[in-house]
Amino acid sequence: MGMDVFGKAPTSKEGEYFRNNVWWWRPLADICVALAPEICAECEHWQSNDGDGLKESSAMALAAVLDARLADGTVAKLVADRDAWLAALPDEPCDLCQGKGVRSDELAIKNGWDKKPCNACEGKGTVRPWETRYQQDEENVREFANFLKASGGFSIC
Ligand SMILES: [Zn+2]
């Protein structure tokens, strides 16, 4: 699943289209809302593809905030804090093998997978928590800011 973000009146190639899969889009939208809550309030549905978005003046204003926060290190700190928080999350028991490292569900037995290490955790019995799939970096925020500046407003589809 992904988010396709379309420029409403692009002024360059860069402003036509921005795409993130859901693992990248969710933290990106969180950063936008955290750094510019008043501007971002105009868009109600950041986390679904309902065609919601921002008008041109708001997209420009959000780009300006993102550029300023990229320049002063705020975005880098948000990303680093988030990465540190994720890294500190403990492993969780693997659901597929109930933490045993080998699957014993019906489908696994039928396919002979019960003779092999669990395909979800590679036999460790633990997996990284779900939240660690959501990723973000400064470069993605910068690319989104550049899209915003040339988008003429946008819709999330
Ligand atoms: Zn497993």
Side-chain angles (χ1 to χ4, degrees):
M1 176 177 161
M3 302 315 216
D4 296 302
V5 188
F6 294 99
K8 286 180 179 169
T11 56
S12 77
K13 189 99 188 129
E14 214 169 15
E16 287 176 8
Y17 179 67
F18 177 87
R19 189 177 200 283
N20 263 180
N21 66 33
V22 69
W23 308 116
W24 283 82
W25 176 257
R26 193 151 286 177
L28 174 63
D30 288 346
I31 284 175
C32 291
V33 172
L35 293 178
E38 284 168 23
I39 299 165
C40 290
E42 183 188 315
C43 172
E44 201 180 328
H45 302 289
W46 280 93
Q47 302 294 2
S48 55
N49 11 32
D50 294 322
D52 206 353
L54 294 178
K55 62 178 186 277
E56 178 168 26
S57 57
S58 307
M60 295 299 279
L62 176 57
V65 171
L66 293 180
D67 276 348
R69 297 297 162 251
L70 281 160
D72 73 6
T74 303
V75 171
K77 184 168 187 328
L78 283 175
V79 168
D81 286 353
R82 199 174 169 279
D83 286 348
W85 171 72
L86 290 172
L89 291 176
D91 288 341
E92 293 178 349
C94 175
D95 278 345
L96 219 53
C97 63
Q98 278 86 44
K100 295 187 202 102
V102 178
R103 289 175 60 172
S104 55
D105 54 286
E106 210 172 299
L107 186 68
I109 291 166
K110 198 174 130 203
N111 288 291
W113 301 334
D114 57 330
K115 315 277 189 285
K116 296 181 197 164
C118 168
N119 56 318
C121 64
E122 292 161 348
K124 282 184 299 195
T126 57
V127 291
R128 294 299 293 144
W130 188 256
E131 292 91 330
T132 62
R133 298 179 189 211
Y134 292 99
Q135 299 168 58
Q136 199 53 227
D137 63 19
E138 274 184 276
E139 191 49 39
N140 194 51
V141 177
R142 189 169 290 114
E143 278 174 27
F144 187 55
N146 290 338
F147 161 79
L148 289 172
K149 279 179 261 183
S151 68
F154 66 87
S155 303
I156 307 160
C157 300

